[in-house]
């Protein structure tokens, strides 16, 4: 796997082998870190961390991963820089590209992370946009691999807002790696048809299926039930409407029992709004695996930076 100089904007741009290669590299870096071994592959590299939206895990993961590998991270929050307000994204990109060796971007528009990559000339990593959250998927898959020893052939059901950044990115990642993928959501929140068709193409190649349904019986046989907040960052005004639509899709004991398996795990990208998308009981029962998943953000983000920018 040679990803040197590449950006990480969406999993669409990566082959199944490249995605698996990043997960393997992350597992290796994680094992080393547990033994107290860190690297120096980002020595002398300066990394910009642009955050238009708040973050606990992604910011911490990029910062720690960068420092572990000997690099220097610089946090640029929404009120710190001019991006897209007083200065065009293209101009900010050209300035940062002259000074930094790599750029992380968390924000609203996918178009902006793509412009940053195009105009900066350095690797750019998507730390979440309204449309995609690709680094999260690597952490989710590393966690699934740790739990089940394999990925291909598993069944993952995403329950909730079926057209948000997590649903979109899980659909791409699962279909590329041959994980059977179901979105369980009310019709109003089903994913974009064009994206679904694109993913059906990946799934056909990988030998897996994609199902989009509003029938809760679809969780039958699931190896993992995944949920996310009902209102993503930037959509707070829609809270009442979303709660009304999604209340029947809460991940609770009853829904977990419908899988018919006692080996099913629960995953959540976090932050979680307990009492909405998941009950306190279900969340706490699977807390160990959910916080492994959160920790894995750091190891997988480190793998992305090492693979695309490291020596
Ligand atoms: N899962 C995730 O991206 O968390 P943060 O919003 O805290 O970065
Ligand atoms: N869909 C959520 C993901 C948070 C990690 C959001 O965009 O707020």
């Amino acid at each position: 796997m040679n990803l040197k100089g590449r950006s990480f904007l969406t999993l669409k741009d990566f082959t199944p082998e490249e995605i698996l290669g990043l997960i393997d590299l992350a597992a290796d870096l994680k094992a080393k870190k547990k033994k107290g071994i860190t690297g120096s592959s980002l020595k002398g590299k300066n990394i910009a961390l642009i955050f238009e939206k708040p973050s606990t895990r992604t910011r911490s993961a990029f910062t720690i991963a960068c420092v572990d590998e000997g690099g220097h991270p610089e946090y640029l929050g929404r009120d710190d820089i001019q991006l897209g307000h007083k200065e065009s994204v293209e101009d900010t990109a050209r300035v940062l590209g002259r000074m930094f060796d790599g750029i992380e971007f968390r924000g609203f528009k996918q178009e902006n992370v793509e412009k940053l990559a195009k105009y900066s000339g350095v690797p750019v990593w998507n730390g979440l946009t309204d449309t995609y959250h690709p680094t999260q998927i690597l952490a989710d898959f590393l966690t699934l691999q740790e739990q089940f020893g394999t990925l291909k052939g598993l069944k993952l059901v995403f329950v909730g807002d079926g057209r948000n950044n997590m649903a979109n990115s899980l659909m791409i990642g699962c279909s590329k790696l041959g994980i059977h993928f179901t979105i369980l959501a009310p019709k109003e929140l089903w994913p974009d048809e064009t994206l679904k068709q694109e993913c059906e193409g990946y799934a056909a190649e990988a030998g897996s299926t994609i199902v989009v349904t509003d029938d809760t019986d679809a969780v039958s046989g699931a190896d993992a039930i995944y949920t996310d907040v009902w209102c993503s960052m930037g959509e707070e005004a829609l809270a009442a409407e979303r709660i009304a639509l999604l209340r029947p899709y809460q991940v609770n004991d009853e829904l977990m029992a419908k899988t018919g398996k006692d080996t099913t795990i629960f995953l959540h990208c976090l932050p979680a709004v307990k009492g909405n998308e998941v009950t306190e009981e279900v969340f706490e029962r699977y807390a160990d695996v959910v916080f492994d998943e959160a920790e894995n953000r750091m190891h997988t983000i480190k793998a992305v930076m090492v693979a695309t920018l490291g020596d």
Side-chain angles (χ1 to χ4, degrees):
M1 176 182 68
N2 182 359
L3 302 180
K4 289 285 173 284
R6 297 261 303 268
S7 285
F8 192 79
L9 307 179
T10 160
L11 290 172
K12 286 189 201 178
D13 300 338
F14 291 81
T15 65
E17 293 70 30
E18 288 168 342
I19 297 168
L20 290 170
L22 286 168
I23 295 166
D24 284 348
L25 175 59
D28 185 50
L29 292 165
K30 180 174 181 176
K32 287 202 173 100
K33 171 112 184 181
K34 299 280 172 200
K35 288 188 201 145
I37 305 165
T38 50
S40 56
S41 87
L42 299 177
K43 191 162 185 288
K45 309 277 193 209
N46 291 294
I47 310 261
L49 305 177
I50 303 175
F51 281 84
E52 287 185 331
K53 290 175 177 174
S55 165
T56 300
R57 281 144 288 271
T58 309
R59 176 180 178 175
S60 306
F62 270 98
T63 304
I64 290 160
C66 175
V67 171
D68 272 357
E69 289 295 324
H72 168 79
E74 187 66 27
Y75 180 78
L76 303 170
R78 60 169 298 146
D79 298 324
D80 300 328
I81 56 172
Q82 316 281 12
L83 185 90
H85 303 293
K86 202 170 171 184
E87 185 170 60
S88 70
V89 177
E90 290 85 339
D91 286 358
T92 301
R94 286 184 287 183
V95 171
L96 297 181
R98 298 283 183 116
M99 299 190 193
F100 289 95
D101 303 287
I103 302 169
E104 178 277 351
F105 174 80
R106 162 170 291 199
F108 294 90
K109 293 187 186 149
Q110 178 69 17
E111 184 195 336
N112 284 349
V113 76
E114 284 167 9
K115 276 190 194 162
L116 277 172
K118 184 169 172 194
Y119 290 96
S120 68
V122 299
V124 171
W125 309 295
N126 182 353
L128 178 148
T129 62
D130 291 345
T131 319
Y132 301 123
H133 194 9
T135 63
Q136 177 70 49
I137 307 307
L138 297 179
D140 301 338
F141 288 178
L142 175 59
T143 311
L144 284 173
Q145 190 161 283
E146 288 169 347
Q147 293 294 319
F148 296 102
T150 182
L151 294 171
K152 203 174 169 71
L154 292 177
K155 174 174 175 176
L156 186 147
V157 180
F158 178 86
V159 188
D161 178 4
R163 32 105 278 154
N164 78 7
N165 41 19
M166 283 311 310
N168 289 344
S169 292
L170 281 166
M171 184 157 65
I172 300 167
C174 288
S175 60
K176 288 230 171 195
L177 296 194
I179 298 170
H180 300 293
F181 181 65
T182 297
I183 287 181
L184 170 57
K187 286 197 178 63
E188 293 85 342
L189 298 173
W190 283 5
D192 175 68
E193 192 55 33
T194 311
L195 178 65
K196 187 184 157 218
Q197 282 171 13
E198 208 173 331
C199 291
E200 279 166 346
Y202 305 142
E205 262 182 60
S208 64
T209 51
I210 297 176
V211 174
V212 177
T213 178
D214 56 4
D215 179 359
T216 55
D217 287 347
V219 301
S220 175
D223 296 294
I225 300 284
Y226 197 120
T227 192
D228 181 17
V229 289
W230 287 346
C231 263
S232 288
M233 289 178 272
E235 296 185 330
E236 288 76 10
L238 298 171
E241 183 187 317
R242 286 290 166 73
I243 290 171
L245 269 175
L246 285 163
R247 183 63 73 200
Y249 298 90
Q250 183 188 60
V251 180
N252 50 31
D253 284 330
E254 194 191 340
L255 193 78
M256 290 303 291
K258 278 188 153 207
T259 66
K261 284 187 171 176
D262 56 11
T263 51
T264 310
I265 62 168
F266 168 76
L267 295 173
H268 195 308
C269 54
L270 303 178
V273 183
K274 290 170 227 170
N276 272 6
E277 72 270 10
V278 61
T279 59
E280 181 94 38
E281 295 73 39
V282 170
F283 185 90
E284 288 306 327
R285 190 168 329 120
Y286 297 93
D288 285 350
V289 65
V290 171
F291 291 109
D292 280 351
E293 182 187 6
E295 177 191 327
N296 285 341
R297 297 297 311 288
M298 199 282 283
H299 306 298
T300 45
I301 280 170
K302 190 186 280 179
V304 170
M305 288 196 290
V306 167
T308 55
L309 184 63
D311 291 328

